[in-house]
Amino acid sequence: MVSSCLRSLSKFTACAIVVLLSLSCFSFTTTEAYDALDPNGNITIKWDVMAWTPDGYVAVVTMFNFQQYRRIQAPGWTLGWTWAKKEVIWSMVGAQTTEQGDCSRFKGNIPHCCKKDPTVVDLLPGTPYNQQIANCCKGGVLNPWVQDPATAVSAFQVSVGSSGTTNKTVRMPKNFTLKAPGPGYTCGPAKVGKPTKFFTADGRRTTQAMMTWNVTCQNWESRSLNHQVKG
């Protein structure tokens, strides 16, 4: 009888292990399938031209994480693009380019970046206040919008030169790229949108951007899923 009980106990243990492994596999598959539940999740980039300067403009670039489940973790996002003309970045607040590039054609004031295809990263927490703007300096970390809208936004200010100084002469950047830990993102072209409106703290006055360009980036898994569904 003892040996019969031991055999039964052994069979029960083996079955329990199989069940636990099955549940474990199910949980892993569900976690990985979050993108399938959020095929339209994206990161939206708004490029708001706020003011004209003698040789260009000042813009505020804002990123919104409209993904339901995907969090951009440290070391954070990396944003890139290609200038349409011979633009340079005179200065930045709340972010920085990773390389300055060749600025040898400039005398006196040297731009922050002269590369045709700059790469921008967020500044770290603890950055001095005079180098910050609202929603900057989180080390590139972005939470999902549904989890916490306050931490789902990242922004920086950029002063652009050699770019044109009117709505008719300025050109949108091209070939946007967004990199982050994980499978990566594919960005569509910049499109002209309705100028963003801004409200004063007391809510009694509204201002708006001179121009607004919108860029939508989707992670590769969601983009692939969308293509399969449409196909």
Side-chain angles (χ1 to χ4, degrees):
M1 176 177 283
V2 173
S3 95
S4 175
C5 288
L6 286 175
R7 281 197 302 272
S8 298
L9 181 60
S10 176
K11 289 180 180 178
F12 174 80
T13 303
C15 289
I17 292 173
V18 170
V19 169
L20 286 173
L21 285 174
S22 299
L23 289 173
S24 175
C25 291
F26 176 78
S27 300
F28 178 78
T29 303
T30 303
T31 302
E32 290 301 305
Y34 275 150
D35 288 328
L37 301 177
D38 186 27
N40 297 315
N42 68 79
I43 292 182
T44 296
I45 302 167
K46 293 182 75 67
W47 189 295
D48 292 309
V49 177
M50 304 300 295
W52 302 111
T53 62
D55 74 332
Y57 62 87
V58 175
V60 173
V61 181
T62 310
M63 283 183 280
F64 302 88
N65 185 2
F66 289 137
Q67 300 174 113
Q68 293 191 49
Y69 308 104
R70 187 179 292 276
R71 177 177 185 263
I72 294 184
Q73 304 182 28
W77 55 261
T78 299
L79 181 66
W81 62 83
T82 301
W83 291 119
K85 300 195 288 186
K86 295 183 178 180
E87 293 91 336
V88 297
I89 298 176
W90 281 114
S91 62
M92 300 189 75
V93 181
Q96 64 183 3
T97 60
T98 56
E99 295 182 61
Q100 183 185 41
D102 182 6
C103 295
S104 59
R105 64 189 174 98
F106 291 90
K107 310 296 180 185
N109 291 334
I110 306 299
H112 175 81
C113 179
C114 298
K115 287 181 67 67
K116 180 74 171 177
D117 53 347
T119 299
V120 174
V121 294
D122 195 11
L123 297 183
L124 298 174
T127 295
Y129 288 115
N130 63 349
Q131 298 176 29
Q132 294 188 31
I133 67 166
N135 296 313
C136 83
C137 313
K138 305 172 185 176
V141 174
L142 277 178
N143 285 319
W145 185 267
V146 294
Q147 177 181 331
D148 183 7
T151 58
V153 183
S154 187
F156 61 87
Q157 179 180 295
V158 57
S159 179
V160 182
S162 303
S163 64
T165 57
T166 69
N167 291 30
K168 293 183 179 180
T169 58
V170 74
R171 295 290 180 268
M172 294 182 288
K174 304 180 294 183
N175 304 325
F176 277 85
T177 61
L178 178 63
K179 298 179 181 179
Y185 293 82
T186 299
C187 299
K191 298 180 180 179
V192 177
K194 292 183 178 180
T196 303
K197 293 185 177 181
F198 304 91
F199 298 91
T200 56
D202 60 11
R204 301 175 64 189
R205 174 175 163 78
T206 302
T207 60
Q208 70 178 47
M210 305 294 178
M211 296 184 71
T212 294
W213 303 322
N214 297 317
V215 179
T216 301
C217 303
Q218 279 193 303
N219 69 69
W220 291 339
E221 291 176 357
S222 292
R223 188 177 179 87
S224 175
L225 178 63
N226 271 335
H227 286 175
Q228 291 175 18
V229 170
K230 292 176 182 177

